[in-house]
Amino acid sequence: MRAGHQDKPTGKAGAPLAPPPLRNDCFALPAGVAWTPVDEALDMLRTRLSPVTGQETVPLQEAFGRVLSQDVVAMRSNPPQPNSAVDGYGFAGAVADGAHVLPLIEGRAAAGVPFAGSVPPGHAIRILTGAAVPQGVDTVILEEDVTCDGHQIAFRGPLKQGANTRKAGEDVVAGERALSTGRMVTSADMALMSAVGIAGVPVRKRLRVAVLSTGDELVEPGDTAAPGQIFDANRPMLLSMARAFGFETLDFGRVADDRAALQVRLDEAAKAVDVILTSGGASAGDEDHVSALLQEAGAMQEWRIAIKPGRPLALGLWHGVPVFGLPGNPVAAMVCTLVFARPAMCLLAGAEWREPQGFDVPAAFSKRKKPGRREYLRARMRDGRAEVFASEGSGRISGLSWAEGLVELGDGERHIRPGDPVRFIPYGSFGL
Ligand code: AMP
Ligand code: MG
């Protein structure tokens, strides 16, 4: 028997269900491969990551954006009983070709106010949209197709039996699965769950995501920026992205390029959250302290992925908490978050794995590309074609704003000419 949706999501002994810990090598890429293809890296995330969040039941009103921890089973059919799809007149069908006159009986059937009696054969009754179809009625004619003098109605056939009515359970049958485990609840799902009588929704606790920036050069907008300093662009971006993905965010601020300070901050974050997103300091340079610390902790996996934009990522577990060490470059940080961190975090949050939905459309641009790596271009759709941002500079943050999505160029592509099909993935497909 399937667990009822009202059941408390607890283990056998009634203790809260604790997800299994992640394996230490969950981010390990194949040894000896210089640049791992994007799809292989994604496969690895998909097969190795599992939910780290607990479960709870929340009132329906609070379920929007949450991840279902169990299948949701319809308590009631939709519609629960046969009802009229239009305002009109109901009777027993079918009706043959030609002109017909039927006597009207007293009373009417309206939504929420059913007609208690039975409609005799050869008679009609006034019926409104959403009204339960009374006994003796199986067919409804639209009021616009009828003349009525208050006592009888006249209309023209033919009319099929069942016309203008909705069958009980034609949408969802009670006891059927309405929504599946791992789904992130949409506005449409709110309507569906409500329609089938779900008051309490079994969900995962929200994934808690810490975001912190690293770099001596960073200051806060509003502060005075000395020569050589820049405003922290990644943190506001990553915090808002994680929120858009449906996660709870904790702002862990900025850390200078100082290993001890970073270590303290990572320790604090690991106590507070399920996932840590850092940006900057993820490569192998002198001031790349995220990768250095993970390395020291023996938890570092350098992700050299055949992707542009994107420098090596530093992935690892810090006190068992996954760390995504993103590149400092805002364009690379955003693309790597969309391509890798988001699906990974979705799995950790208990959500199903879903490829971002892309669309094959004609290119409005031409480009030569190195084969052997995946490229993501800042893009938008205009007049049915994908345009790309004039510059591929990875510091060009304005291009991220200009764009409404990404064009994904396959690993093997070499030369794209105007009109060639390219895959456009709207930001919305990534959950933004
Ligand atoms: P890194 O990955 O630390 O070597 O940084 C690469 C580039 O990204 C450098 O030009 C940094 O100044 C820049 N950068 C790093 N973090 C940020 C940030 N939070 N906001 C804007 N630019 C950044
Ligand atoms: Mg840096």
Side-chain angles (χ1 to χ4, degrees):
M1 199 190 85
R2 186 185 284 139
H5 72 287
Q6 304 277 34
D7 291 357
K8 272 231 172 77
T10 53
K12 272 193 199 118
L17 202 58
L22 296 171
R23 290 171 51 104
N24 251 337
D25 61 353
C26 62
F27 295 125
L29 290 181
V33 178
W35 294 95
T36 305
V38 171
D39 286 340
E40 259 180 56
L42 288 174
D43 267 351
M44 240 140 346
L45 291 176
R46 193 178 55 212
T47 51
R48 295 198 197 139
L49 296 180
S50 50
V52 296
T53 48
Q55 305 180 28
E56 61 184 339
T57 299
V58 297
L60 174 69
Q61 290 74 8
E62 291 164 29
F64 175 69
R66 303 294 297 272
V67 175
L68 296 180
S69 61
Q70 293 174 32
D71 290 347
V72 167
V73 174
M75 302 283 285
R76 199 173 189 222
S77 295
N78 181 50
Q81 69 272 310
N83 70 90
S84 179
V86 297
D87 287 347
Y89 297 87
F91 43 78
V95 174
D97 207 358
H100 300 271
V101 175
L102 291 180
L104 261 184
I105 67 161
E106 287 275 317
R108 61 168 211 178
V113 192
F115 178 72
S118 175
V119 177
H123 289 66
I125 184 173
R126 176 72 170 140
I127 189 166
L128 302 181
T129 307
V133 169
Q135 251 184 10
V137 172
D138 58 18
T139 303
V140 175
I141 186 159
L142 204 62
E143 71 182 17
E144 287 85 340
D145 294 342
V146 164
T147 51
C148 178
D149 64 2
H151 303 288
Q152 44 187 7
I153 58 168
F155 59 95
R156 249 170 232 296
L159 204 60
K160 278 194 199 138
Q161 188 175 36
N164 296 315
T165 65
R166 308 168 179 138
K167 291 185 197 62
E170 71 175 22
D171 184 27
V172 183
V173 176
E176 261 180 18
R177 180 173 57 201
L179 293 169
S180 303
T181 307
R183 181 166 174 96
M184 204 170 263
V185 175
T186 65
S187 299
D189 298 342
M190 295 292 283
L192 177 57
M193 288 194 287
S194 202
V196 299
I198 308 300
V201 184
V203 294
R204 291 272 173 189
K205 296 220 162 111
R206 272 192 202 278
L207 189 79
R208 292 160 304 171
V209 180
V211 176
L212 71 99
S213 295
T214 69
D216 283 341
E217 72 278 34
L218 302 178
V219 291
E220 218 56 20
D223 290 352
T224 326
Q229 292 189 311
I230 59 170
F231 298 120
D232 180 355
N234 288 343
R235 213 167 88 248
M237 174 179 77
L238 295 172
L239 283 166
S240 66
M241 287 173 83
R243 244 173 268 136
F245 300 155
F247 309 138
E248 190 182 315
T249 53
L250 282 86
D251 184 353
F252 272 76
R254 287 174 288 109
V255 194
D257 287 320
D258 170 335
R259 206 162 297 185
L262 181 60
Q263 176 158 11
V264 170
R265 199 70 63 91
L266 285 177
D267 287 348
E268 286 167 5
K271 284 196 198 105
V273 299
D274 305 304
V275 183
I276 303 171
L277 292 185
T278 68
S279 68
S283 313
D286 296 349
E287 298 296 347
D288 286 323
H289 299 288
V290 174
S291 47
L293 271 178
L294 288 172
Q295 201 90 55
E296 275 173 26
M300 162 76 179
Q301 300 293 342
E302 187 187 33
W303 267 39
R304 293 163 66 82
I305 310 291
I307 183 175
K308 187 186 168 198
R311 284 201 308 186
L313 308 179
L315 275 71
L317 296 182
W318 189 261
H319 301 308
V321 174
V323 178
F324 288 85
L326 299 161
N329 216 297
V331 176
M334 181 164 167
V335 169
C336 290
T337 301
L338 294 178
V339 176
F340 299 115
R342 173 177 179 263
M345 289 192 291
C346 284
L347 286 183
L348 297 170
E352 67 196 337
W353 181 271
R354 281 175 72 183
E355 306 286 331
Q357 190 65 55
F359 304 90
D360 291 338
V361 298
F365 60 93
S366 67
K367 177 182 160 61
R368 287 189 184 275
K369 161 182 173 301
K370 256 206 226 159
R373 73 176 179 205
R374 180 87 43 102
E375 292 199 17
Y376 292 93
L377 309 177
R378 284 150 279 179
R380 63 185 194 185
M381 290 296 298
R382 289 294 181 270
D383 303 323
R385 305 195 312 162
E387 299 180 341
V388 296
F389 190 57
S391 161
E392 288 185 26
S394 55
R396 299 285 290 265
I397 303 175
S398 67
L400 291 172
S401 288
W402 173 92
E404 292 160 8
L406 301 174
V407 155
E408 179 185 62
L409 301 178
D411 304 8
E413 299 271 10
R414 286 165 183 278
H415 190 183
I416 293 96
R417 298 170 190 81
D420 285 353
V422 290
R423 172 143 300 187
F424 176 72
I425 310 175
Y427 282 153
S429 289
F430 291 106
L432 292 187

